[in-house]
Amino acid sequence: MSLRLLAGLAVTLSAVVVYSGYTIVQMRSLRQLQDDIIDRNRKDSLLLLRIQNNLNGLANAMRDMLDASEPYPLTAWRSQFLRIRVDLEDAVDRERKFAPASRTADQARYLASSMAQYWDALDRIFELAGRDEAEARTRIKISLQARQDALTTAVARLLVQNNESEEQAAAEIQRIYARVERNVYVFLAAILLVVAFTSAYLLQYNRRVFDEVTALSDRRSELAQQLISMQESTFASISRELHDEFGQILTGVGAMLQRLHRKADPADTRLRADLREVHEIVQATLEKVRTLSQALHPVMLDEVGLESAMDHYLPGFEKRTGIAIQYEKSGESVPVDRELAIHLYRVMQEALNNVARHSKSRRADVRLSFEPRSLTLEVEDEGIGFKEGSGKGMGLISMRERAEMMKGKVEFLRGRSGGTLVRLTVPLRMEEAHA
Amino acid sequence: MTRRTFLASGASALAAAPRAPGFRLADVTARAGIEFRHNSGAFGLKYLPETMGPGCAFIDYDGDGWLDILISNGMDWPGHKKQRTTPRLYRNNRDGTFTDVTREAGLAIEIYGMGVAVADYDNDGWPDILFTGVGQNRLFKNTGKGHFIDVTEKAGLGGRSAFSTSAFWFDYDRDGLLDLFVCNYVRWSPEHDVFCSVDGKHKSYCTPEAYRGSTCWLFRNRGNGTFEDVTAKSGVFDASSKSLGVALIDYDRDGWPDIVVANDTQPNKLYRNARNGTFEEVAVRAGLAFSEDGKARAGMGIDVADFQNSGVQGIAITNFDNEMMALYQGGAAGSYADIAIKSGVGQLSRTSLGFGCVFFDADLDGRLDLVAANGHIDATVRNIRSNVGYAQPPHMFLNEGGGMFRDVAREVGAEFSTPKVARGVACGDFDRDGDVDVLVTTNQGPAYLYRNDVSNGNRAIRFKLTGLKSNRDAIGSVVRVFTPDGAQLRMVKTGSSYLSQSELAVTFGLGRRESADRVVIEWPSGRTDEFKGLRAGSYECVEGQAPKS
């Protein structure tokens, strides 16, 4: 069993390891894709935007030059253009490093040469502006602005191209995600199957163990019940022997001694005294034999039933132990089956013996309640109560076994005054209980 | 809890609590008699300039050694005249009160004013005033008799119409004459006002994207009372700029003054002085042009100072809300790193729309602190961004050392931290008690004078410099003070902040020390003076002469 479980665990762990490895590989390829395309593209696009921003700056500067709203010569703008040029060239240099693979050599060449031509034209215009400002303005309008427009268009085209590359990369990422998602489902299904198989196996195994435990318990119970039955029949047989054989013999001996006493010489007082003494001994022995016989198996149970046997037993118990018994009967009494009666009687005896031995109570209640389908016997004392761990004595085990034999149940409860309450409930008709 | 553990826990809680600022900024506006109210001229059409002003300055116009107060003002727009408003000059009565002397001083002129820049451009010993604004900027020469005369045309600055903002005086060619740099914002005029709207129905104030930029101007002082426009010749021309703040800096530490400009939605500019009358723009290379994420922020106010006592000047720039202030730390290789987030300034200023900002040693502990005035441009901003208000509390960033700042605005005074629609900030020791006081202007509202009351027992050493070979105001001089705690550096400068100007005297906090071991002054002329063992106090230093207290 443990081998199979270990094998299941190993299979599950292997699946997790394999799947984790697979996921890591997928993640790496995703990261690679992001580094190679997405991040590179993003950086490139940012630099292209910076270039575009600078080109806008150039456009604005040219606009300001042409509207002649500043009281300065055109050459005043040289420093502003120079600042933009420094930043623009820096951006172009950086952008070249991040240019996506889709960038063609022609495109790169076009951008570089357009840029160079623009600066060359600008330098010439500033040179011209020193001599002929009006002509320089005309050159800005007819040439420089057109070059700037061409550059802006080229950069915009590169941005569009980057966007397309990014869209392709995004689609590839979506495919990877979809593949990973599908595999996650497959993996989950496999794991669920393994878990289901292992669980089913464990359930079956547990059920078998429980069945074995139940069978063992049944056997133990059966043995205990057989022991009780055997004990009862042995006690009944001995009781009968004592009552029938020894009782008869002792009764006969007693009758003979009475007769001898009558025939003896009245003057022989010594003999008469001896005979009386022997007769008394025989009577006492007879009484003891009867008591013993009664104790082993109350014949009254067989002859007059449970209730009368209890009526007879309880005063004797009071007398022997000095414990006052309050006996109550309720419900409509019905004749109780002989086998049931002996068990009920024995449980009552055992419960009362426990009261006498352990409870330190001076009184006890015995209640016998007849219900339409069941009978309840309660023995309650006002003693020190039932202690934890004291439920394993032979007397209690015997009470439980007897209850089981009657298909009833016995409970050991805390009484109203803190003492012990033993409650035995049994179905009245064994046939019903069996059904 | 036993009494011992209770006391111990109390002691540790005290140890963990931040230290008290050691100074208070008391609102003495009413007591001082500064009854100013800015007039933006707003009448409903929401012209862009209405939400931008005004600036302010500390100026000792009468040369009595007590700082007077100058506040720029707007005016009603043509065709909507209801009142006459002018800039205001308040003379210091030397007893904590001021008297309005605008009319006597000849400054009761109507101008749609934005900023002020004060310096003795003609080296006659009396500070002169440049008012910037919408339309024609105006230069006023101080006669030395408590009166100013308008010399705009005479000086060659007339005939120019623009939307000018901050300006500053400096001697870029080191000829001993102060030259003038003027920031221009955008090309705007009431005739060509653009309709902008947040909700699509009602007009709102436009952002600068709606307008074309406008170049800054550089005027060289010819020394005969006139100026030459060298904007194009010097290479500072840039028609794309939308400049609001400007500060003097020696970026490459070569003794030649460089210029750093805060631009609104355009890259900031750093003009490196090429020592031949031209400038090279290096902001991108230096890492100042854009934010860390490559965005051109809405730069407003700016200041430059060695706030880390490292010998290298850093830069603070206020920006729009949700952009954070920039706090640049200068590196050895001429590049800057924005440490705003690391220093705490970034997060603390995230929801602020900052304008004026000035480094000064508020608690005189030897570390420069930073004050920033805030206030939104849009009165309905709360409807759009729930975490941003129109009126905003100022920041008073206390320098805790190690590049860390803590905002103590609420701790130094409830009046100070009250939300305002603030714009300009200027600093100066108007009560001559050794610590530096603060003047704040608000848009369409009053100006506030906050007296600094340092209570931690720290001392200051102050220097008022007078150049002989150098320009008389000694602008561009670098003063270094050495104590056992290290060296501190200040530069004598105009400009900085937003539309405003602080006093020209420099203040060094000495902490509990009674004196500075050594003081070194590097004059723009190239001369270096060194003095030893100067006790705490105020000194007048004339170029090449021993300081007088």
PDB file of all heavy atoms in Angstrom, chain B residues 487-508:
ATOM      1  N   ALA B 487      33.013  74.283   6.324  1.00  0.00           N
ATOM      2  CA  ALA B 487      32.966  75.529   5.567  1.00  0.00           C
ATOM      3  C   ALA B 487      31.564  75.756   5.023  1.00  0.00           C
ATOM      4  O   ALA B 487      30.870  74.809   4.666  1.00  0.00           O
ATOM      5  CB  ALA B 487      33.963  75.469   4.420  1.00  0.00           C
ATOM      6  N   GLN B 488      31.160  77.037   5.009  1.00  0.00           N
ATOM      7  CA  GLN B 488      29.885  77.392   4.389  1.00  0.00           C
ATOM      8  C   GLN B 488      30.163  78.382   3.265  1.00  0.00           C
ATOM      9  O   GLN B 488      31.139  79.132   3.333  1.00  0.00           O
ATOM     10  CB  GLN B 488      28.961  78.052   5.410  1.00  0.00           C
ATOM     11  CG  GLN B 488      28.562  77.158   6.567  1.00  0.00           C
ATOM     12  CD  GLN B 488      27.682  77.930   7.555  1.00  0.00           C
ATOM     13  OE1 GLN B 488      26.692  78.535   7.186  1.00  0.00           O
ATOM     14  NE2 GLN B 488      28.080  77.913   8.818  1.00  0.00           N
ATOM     15  N   LEU B 489      29.287  78.358   2.282  1.00  0.00           N
ATOM     16  CA  LEU B 489      29.496  79.210   1.109  1.00  0.00           C
ATOM     17  C   LEU B 489      28.210  79.960   0.792  1.00  0.00           C
ATOM     18  O   LEU B 489      27.124  79.391   0.829  1.00  0.00           O
ATOM     19  CB  LEU B 489      29.899  78.312  -0.071  1.00  0.00           C
ATOM     20  CG  LEU B 489      30.129  78.884  -1.463  1.00  0.00           C
ATOM     21  CD1 LEU B 489      31.002  77.926  -2.247  1.00  0.00           C
ATOM     22  CD2 LEU B 489      28.835  79.125  -2.225  1.00  0.00           C
ATOM     23  N   ARG B 490      28.365  81.275   0.528  1.00  0.00           N
ATOM     24  CA  ARG B 490      27.218  82.054   0.036  1.00  0.00           C
ATOM     25  C   ARG B 490      27.703  82.891  -1.134  1.00  0.00           C
ATOM     26  O   ARG B 490      28.858  83.313  -1.168  1.00  0.00           O
ATOM     27  CB  ARG B 490      26.678  83.014   1.103  1.00  0.00           C
ATOM     28  CG  ARG B 490      26.333  82.378   2.425  1.00  0.00           C
ATOM     29  CD  ARG B 490      24.948  81.776   2.428  1.00  0.00           C
ATOM     30  NE  ARG B 490      24.628  81.355   3.787  1.00  0.00           N
ATOM     31  CZ  ARG B 490      24.956  80.175   4.297  1.00  0.00           C
ATOM     32  NH1 ARG B 490      25.602  79.298   3.565  1.00  0.00           N
ATOM     33  NH2 ARG B 490      24.652  79.878   5.549  1.00  0.00           N
ATOM     34  N   MET B 491      26.761  83.122  -2.048  1.00  0.00           N
ATOM     35  CA  MET B 491      27.081  83.999  -3.168  1.00  0.00           C
ATOM     36  C   MET B 491      26.197  85.232  -3.067  1.00  0.00           C
ATOM     37  O   MET B 491      25.006  85.118  -2.777  1.00  0.00           O
ATOM     38  CB  MET B 491      26.833  83.267  -4.490  1.00  0.00           C
ATOM     39  CG  MET B 491      27.240  84.067  -5.708  1.00  0.00           C
ATOM     40  SD  MET B 491      26.874  83.174  -7.235  1.00  0.00           S
ATOM     41  CE  MET B 491      28.456  82.472  -7.585  1.00  0.00           C
ATOM     42  N   VAL B 492      26.793  86.411  -3.282  1.00  0.00           N
ATOM     43  CA  VAL B 492      25.984  87.633  -3.291  1.00  0.00           C
ATOM     44  C   VAL B 492      25.254  87.660  -4.632  1.00  0.00           C
ATOM     45  O   VAL B 492      25.875  87.534  -5.685  1.00  0.00           O
ATOM     46  CB  VAL B 492      26.881  88.879  -3.144  1.00  0.00           C
ATOM     47  CG1 VAL B 492      26.031  90.139  -3.173  1.00  0.00           C
ATOM     48  CG2 VAL B 492      27.679  88.796  -1.855  1.00  0.00           C
ATOM     49  N   LYS B 493      23.933  87.782  -4.567  1.00  0.00           N
ATOM     50  CA  LYS B 493      23.187  87.626  -5.810  1.00  0.00           C
ATOM     51  C   LYS B 493      21.875  88.394  -5.775  1.00  0.00           C
ATOM     52  O   LYS B 493      21.317  88.664  -4.706  1.00  0.00           O
ATOM     53  CB  LYS B 493      22.905  86.140  -6.042  1.00  0.00           C
ATOM     54  CG  LYS B 493      21.998  85.556  -4.992  1.00  0.00           C
ATOM     55  CD  LYS B 493      21.925  84.053  -5.022  1.00  0.00           C
ATOM     56  CE  LYS B 493      20.945  83.595  -3.970  1.00  0.00           C
ATOM     57  NZ  LYS B 493      20.958  82.189  -3.702  1.00  0.00           N
ATOM     58  N   THR B 494      21.400  88.722  -6.944  1.00  0.00           N
ATOM     59  CA  THR B 494      20.016  89.189  -7.079  1.00  0.00           C
ATOM     60  C   THR B 494      19.253  88.052  -7.756  1.00  0.00           C
ATOM     61  O   THR B 494      19.807  86.988  -8.015  1.00  0.00           O
ATOM     62  CB  THR B 494      19.920  90.480  -7.921  1.00  0.00           C
ATOM     63  OG1 THR B 494      20.337  90.160  -9.251  1.00  0.00           O
ATOM     64  CG2 THR B 494      20.793  91.568  -7.364  1.00  0.00           C
ATOM     65  N   GLY B 495      17.999  88.297  -8.059  1.00  0.00           N
ATOM     66  CA  GLY B 495      17.212  87.240  -8.693  1.00  0.00           C
ATOM     67  C   GLY B 495      16.886  86.145  -7.707  1.00  0.00           C
ATOM     68  O   GLY B 495      16.721  86.381  -6.518  1.00  0.00           O
ATOM     69  N   SER B 496      16.795  84.915  -8.221  1.00  0.00           N
ATOM     70  CA  SER B 496      16.344  83.747  -7.444  1.00  0.00           C
ATOM     71  C   SER B 496      14.884  83.916  -7.042  1.00  0.00           C
ATOM     72  O   SER B 496      14.267  84.934  -7.334  1.00  0.00           O
ATOM     73  CB  SER B 496      17.204  83.526  -6.212  1.00  0.00           C
ATOM     74  OG  SER B 496      18.421  82.935  -6.591  1.00  0.00           O
ATOM     75  N   SER B 497      14.357  82.898  -6.355  1.00  0.00           N
ATOM     76  CA  SER B 497      12.959  82.867  -5.942  1.00  0.00           C
ATOM     77  C   SER B 497      12.063  83.026  -7.183  1.00  0.00           C
ATOM     78  O   SER B 497      12.405  82.503  -8.266  1.00  0.00           O
ATOM     79  CB  SER B 497      12.681  83.950  -4.896  1.00  0.00           C
ATOM     80  OG  SER B 497      11.393  83.788  -4.374  1.00  0.00           O
ATOM     81  N   TYR B 498      10.988  83.767  -7.048  1.00  0.00           N
ATOM     82  CA  TYR B 498      10.052  83.956  -8.163  1.00  0.00           C
ATOM     83  C   TYR B 498       9.625  85.415  -8.152  1.00  0.00           C
ATOM     84  O   TYR B 498       9.024  85.872  -7.167  1.00  0.00           O
ATOM     85  CB  TYR B 498       8.851  83.022  -7.980  1.00  0.00           C
ATOM     86  CG  TYR B 498       7.711  83.236  -8.946  1.00  0.00           C
ATOM     87  CD1 TYR B 498       7.800  82.798 -10.258  1.00  0.00           C
ATOM     88  CD2 TYR B 498       6.551  83.877  -8.545  1.00  0.00           C
ATOM     89  CE1 TYR B 498       6.762  82.993 -11.139  1.00  0.00           C
ATOM     90  CE2 TYR B 498       5.498  84.070  -9.421  1.00  0.00           C
ATOM     91  CZ  TYR B 498       5.608  83.627 -10.717  1.00  0.00           C
ATOM     92  OH  TYR B 498       4.571  83.825 -11.596  1.00  0.00           O
ATOM     93  N   LEU B 499       9.978  86.140  -9.190  1.00  0.00           N
ATOM     94  CA  LEU B 499       9.632  87.557  -9.349  1.00  0.00           C
ATOM     95  C   LEU B 499      10.192  88.412  -8.216  1.00  0.00           C
ATOM     96  O   LEU B 499       9.802  89.571  -8.083  1.00  0.00           O
ATOM     97  CB  LEU B 499       8.096  87.744  -9.397  1.00  0.00           C
ATOM     98  CG  LEU B 499       7.292  86.893 -10.375  1.00  0.00           C
ATOM     99  CD1 LEU B 499       5.799  87.194 -10.207  1.00  0.00           C
ATOM    100  CD2 LEU B 499       7.711  87.139 -11.819  1.00  0.00           C
ATOM    101  N   SER B 500      11.056  87.868  -7.388  1.00  0.00           N
ATOM    102  CA  SER B 500      11.394  88.527  -6.125  1.00  0.00           C
ATOM    103  C   SER B 500      12.896  88.628  -5.926  1.00  0.00           C
ATOM    104  O   SER B 500      13.679  88.027  -6.665  1.00  0.00           O
ATOM    105  CB  SER B 500      10.794  87.744  -4.955  1.00  0.00           C
ATOM    106  OG  SER B 500       9.404  87.651  -5.120  1.00  0.00           O
ATOM    107  N   GLN B 501      13.259  89.356  -4.887  1.00  0.00           N
ATOM    108  CA  GLN B 501      14.678  89.479  -4.589  1.00  0.00           C
ATOM    109  C   GLN B 501      14.899  89.625  -3.091  1.00  0.00           C
ATOM    110  O   GLN B 501      14.266  90.442  -2.432  1.00  0.00           O
ATOM    111  CB  GLN B 501      15.265  90.691  -5.303  1.00  0.00           C
ATOM    112  CG  GLN B 501      16.754  90.792  -5.062  1.00  0.00           C
ATOM    113  CD  GLN B 501      17.364  91.915  -5.862  1.00  0.00           C
ATOM    114  OE1 GLN B 501      17.026  92.106  -7.023  1.00  0.00           O
ATOM    115  NE2 GLN B 501      18.255  92.659  -5.236  1.00  0.00           N
ATOM    116  N   SER B 502      15.827  88.857  -2.589  1.00  0.00           N
ATOM    117  CA  SER B 502      16.176  88.922  -1.181  1.00  0.00           C
ATOM    118  C   SER B 502      17.254  89.976  -0.977  1.00  0.00           C
ATOM    119  O   SER B 502      17.783  90.536  -1.943  1.00  0.00           O
ATOM    120  CB  SER B 502      16.657  87.558  -0.702  1.00  0.00           C
ATOM    121  OG  SER B 502      15.614  86.611  -0.849  1.00  0.00           O
ATOM    122  N   GLU B 503      17.599  90.231   0.291  1.00  0.00           N
ATOM    123  CA  GLU B 503      18.649  91.215   0.576  1.00  0.00           C
ATOM    124  C   GLU B 503      19.977  90.747  -0.020  1.00  0.00           C
ATOM    125  O   GLU B 503      20.186  89.548  -0.237  1.00  0.00           O
ATOM    126  CB  GLU B 503      18.788  91.388   2.088  1.00  0.00           C
ATOM    127  CG  GLU B 503      19.277  90.145   2.801  1.00  0.00           C
ATOM    128  CD  GLU B 503      19.576  90.392   4.272  1.00  0.00           C
ATOM    129  OE1 GLU B 503      19.963  91.504   4.626  1.00  0.00           O
ATOM    130  OE2 GLU B 503      19.420  89.443   5.068  1.00  0.00           O
ATOM    131  N   LEU B 504      20.867  91.693  -0.253  1.00  0.00           N
ATOM    132  CA  LEU B 504      22.162  91.345  -0.843  1.00  0.00           C
ATOM    133  C   LEU B 504      23.157  90.871   0.214  1.00  0.00           C
ATOM    134  O   LEU B 504      24.116  90.161  -0.106  1.00  0.00           O
ATOM    135  CB  LEU B 504      22.742  92.550  -1.589  1.00  0.00           C
ATOM    136  CG  LEU B 504      21.943  93.002  -2.817  1.00  0.00           C
ATOM    137  CD1 LEU B 504      22.613  94.196  -3.474  1.00  0.00           C
ATOM    138  CD2 LEU B 504      21.810  91.877  -3.821  1.00  0.00           C
ATOM    139  N   ALA B 505      22.951  91.261   1.470  1.00  0.00           N
ATOM    140  CA  ALA B 505      23.857  90.812   2.543  1.00  0.00           C
ATOM    141  C   ALA B 505      23.745  89.304   2.692  1.00  0.00           C
ATOM    142  O   ALA B 505      22.687  88.718   2.434  1.00  0.00           O
ATOM    143  CB  ALA B 505      23.489  91.496   3.847  1.00  0.00           C
ATOM    144  N   VAL B 506      24.856  88.665   3.077  1.00  0.00           N
ATOM    145  CA  VAL B 506      24.820  87.210   3.255  1.00  0.00           C
ATOM    146  C   VAL B 506      24.908  86.878   4.744  1.00  0.00           C
ATOM    147  O   VAL B 506      25.625  87.544   5.497  1.00  0.00           O
ATOM    148  CB  VAL B 506      25.958  86.507   2.479  1.00  0.00           C
ATOM    149  CG1 VAL B 506      25.685  86.589   0.981  1.00  0.00           C
ATOM    150  CG2 VAL B 506      27.314  87.103   2.802  1.00  0.00           C
ATOM    151  N   THR B 507      24.172  85.860   5.142  1.00  0.00           N
ATOM    152  CA  THR B 507      24.094  85.476   6.556  1.00  0.00           C
ATOM    153  C   THR B 507      24.592  84.043   6.720  1.00  0.00           C
ATOM    154  O   THR B 507      24.192  83.154   5.970  1.00  0.00           O
ATOM    155  CB  THR B 507      22.631  85.557   7.044  1.00  0.00           C
ATOM    156  OG1 THR B 507      22.144  86.857   6.808  1.00  0.00           O
ATOM    157  CG2 THR B 507      22.516  85.215   8.517  1.00  0.00           C
ATOM    158  N   PHE B 508      25.441  83.832   7.696  1.00  0.00           N
ATOM    159  CA  PHE B 508      25.931  82.488   8.008  1.00  0.00           C
ATOM    160  C   PHE B 508      25.526  82.148   9.439  1.00  0.00           C
ATOM    161  O   PHE B 508      25.759  82.941  10.355  1.00  0.00           O
ATOM    162  CB  PHE B 508      27.463  82.429   7.923  1.00  0.00           C
ATOM    163  CG  PHE B 508      28.009  82.672   6.546  1.00  0.00           C
ATOM    164  CD1 PHE B 508      28.187  83.965   6.073  1.00  0.00           C
ATOM    165  CD2 PHE B 508      28.359  81.611   5.730  1.00  0.00           C
ATOM    166  CE1 PHE B 508      28.700  84.196   4.805  1.00  0.00           C
ATOM    167  CE2 PHE B 508      28.864  81.837   4.453  1.00  0.00           C
ATOM    168  CZ  PHE B 508      29.037  83.122   3.995  1.00  0.00           C
TER     169      PHE B 508
END
